[in-house]
Amino acid sequence: MQYRNLGADLTVSAVGLGCMGMSHAYGAPADKKEMTELLAKAVDMGYTFFDTAEVYGTPESPHDNEELVGAALKPYRDKIVLATKFGIHFDMTSPAVNKPLLPDSRPEVIRASVEASLMRLGTDHIDLYYQHRLDPKIPIEEVAGVMADLIREGKITLWGMSEATEDAIRRAHAVCPVTAVQNRYSMMARWYENLFPVLEELNIGYVAFSPLANGFLSGKYDKTSQFEAVTDYRSVMPQFQPENIDRNQALLELLNSLSREKKATPAQISLAWMLCKKPYIVPIPGTRKYSRLIENAGAADIMLSAEEVGAIDTALDGMEMSQVFGGTQVVNK
């Protein structure tokens, strides 16, 4: 496993592990014993960066993922970087499969969240604590002030922001330095590349979630792929709809061509593209399978030159592709 730095003070594995899908959004939760074993194998392979959130779970077990991750990684706590998030809950009154998000970053809510996450994770500190979504009702300076207090108290070590904008990043960073921004990023979702200059200016890392476009860029899905209608968000994601598979053929053909050239898989090429683009990008693909864990880690060993990365970008710029899932709707009530 390769390693790289996020911000000034955080060294992590070049590929992290997004743990959400073990409990949330990709069908019924996986078997806890199997996931506990998988997480242990990840540590053995050199993964040190593990990502969860207080809201990753099910209606019956709303905090399932933090509980799973905390228990599974407790024996390795001094070897790993544990990241979790605060600041949203789901609108459970919605009939949608992918229920809207309600932001809430009131200081008292953050305080309650951090204490509950510490308990579920079975730890005395959180290494990287993200605001899960911006809250338009609470000035970001106020949120950053709470983060500074939590750092002084030793409850968190560093903090970050998810799906953040340049203005919010700059304002937050001026109050309490931001270590990482966790935003969506993949070959199908490049709209946050305009943040790269400010991240470089302020020395902030970029943690890329959904780096494989929710698995689509693995090349493992086609028109016959089926997803559970109620519990699997992919059932309503545009890139997986049968009518869009054909629209994405040029993208898949590009990945397959590069895979043959580099003796890699489409998923590895997708990850290597961003790893080789910027030294401060760390993707956090999720999986429930040991084979994928190995495959994703191997992406860090694939070298693409700046010219090769630029050629891929140019190809993507001129390529027809379907819409891609852009994230759960955020609503304010």
Side-chain angles (χ1 to χ4, degrees):
M1 178 67 79
Q2 306 291 323
Y3 297 87
R4 52 181 54 191
N5 295 325
L6 292 174
D9 302 308
L10 191 62
T11 300
V12 298
S13 50
V15 178
L17 180 56
C19 300
M20 179 190 78
M22 298 175 180
S23 305
H24 176 81
Y26 288 86
D31 179 80
K32 278 192 167 53
K33 181 175 182 295
E34 291 179 5
M35 293 303 97
T36 298
E37 293 171 354
L38 185 68
L39 286 161
K41 290 176 180 176
V43 175
D44 289 342
M45 288 174 55
Y47 282 86
T48 64
F49 191 30
F50 297 86
D51 183 89
T52 183
E54 65 176 347
V55 294
Y56 296 160
T58 66
E60 298 75 27
S61 181
H63 310 295
D64 185 87
N65 201 240
E66 277 193 335
E67 293 165 357
L68 165 66
V69 169
L73 294 177
K74 193 172 183 65
Y76 318 102
R77 185 66 186 93
D78 61 341
K79 299 179 180 179
I80 64 164
V81 171
L82 203 51
T84 192
K85 311 178 196 74
F86 68 89
I88 59 170
H89 60 275
F90 292 102
D91 181 2
M92 299 308 291
T93 65
S94 170
V97 172
N98 185 2
K99 298 187 184 306
L101 302 175
L102 302 171
D104 190 348
S105 285
R106 290 173 292 167
E108 63 271 26
V109 172
I110 298 173
R111 286 277 178 182
S113 289
V114 73
E115 296 297 341
S117 288
L118 287 168
M119 181 180 66
R120 287 189 292 267
L121 292 168
T123 185
D124 62 356
H125 72 285
I126 294 163
D127 298 304
L128 182 57
Y129 200 39
Y130 294 103
Q131 183 187 32
H132 209 152
R133 292 292 184 273
L134 298 174
D135 184 347
K137 297 179 181 177
I138 307 296
I140 193 61
E141 292 85 355
E142 190 171 349
V143 175
V146 177
M147 295 300 104
D149 290 341
L150 294 177
I151 290 170
R152 281 192 292 270
E153 294 164 19
K155 292 179 179 178
I156 69 173
T157 305
L158 301 162
W159 85 290
M161 305 165 72
S162 185
E163 294 286 78
T165 62
E166 177 177 349
D167 176 65
I169 293 166
R170 288 189 180 279
R171 289 164 52 201
H173 191 77
V175 175
C176 182
V178 175
T179 292
V181 168
Q182 183 184 134
N183 284 10
R184 183 178 302 274
Y185 189 49
S186 74
M187 287 184 174
M188 297 185 79
R190 297 170 59 203
W191 45 81
Y192 284 119
E193 288 183 344
N194 60 2
L195 290 180
F196 291 168
V198 69
L199 299 182
E200 291 163 14
E201 175 192 338
L202 301 178
N203 191 20
I204 296 171
Y206 191 111
V207 177
F209 76 86
S210 294
L212 300 177
N214 306 99
F216 183 81
L217 298 177
S218 69
K220 303 294 184 183
Y221 300 94
D222 58 26
K223 293 180 181 180
T224 67
S225 300
Q226 299 290 318
F227 305 104
E228 294 179 26
V230 177
T231 58
D232 195 325
Y233 287 11
R234 289 172 296 183
S235 64
V236 295
M237 290 181 183
Q239 67 268 34
F240 292 102
Q241 302 309 306
E243 65 272 17
N244 284 330
I245 299 296
D246 290 338
R247 295 186 64 189
N248 293 316
Q249 280 309 300
L251 175 57
L252 296 176
E253 287 169 9
L254 173 66
L255 285 171
N256 288 328
S257 174
L258 291 166
S259 298
R260 290 189 295 269
E261 180 184 334
K262 297 293 181 178
K263 296 180 172 57
T265 68
Q268 288 175 328
I269 295 297
S270 299
L271 298 173
W273 162 77
M274 63 179 70
L275 286 165
C276 294
K277 179 175 288 197
K278 299 291 183 181
Y280 53 82
I281 295 179
V282 176
I284 52 168
T287 188
R288 299 181 177 190
K289 298 179 180 179
Y290 181 53
S291 61
R292 297 285 180 267
L293 206 62
I294 297 171
E295 180 182 0
N296 293 340
D301 297 322
I302 298 169
M303 292 297 108
L304 299 174
S305 68
E307 290 75 19
E308 288 173 316
V309 171
I312 294 171
D313 285 348
T314 299
L316 295 173
D317 288 340
M319 188 177 291
E320 180 187 3
M321 60 180 76
S322 76
Q323 288 187 316
V324 64
F325 179 64
T328 302
Q329 180 187 10
V330 179
V331 297
N332 294 291
K333 290 189 174 182

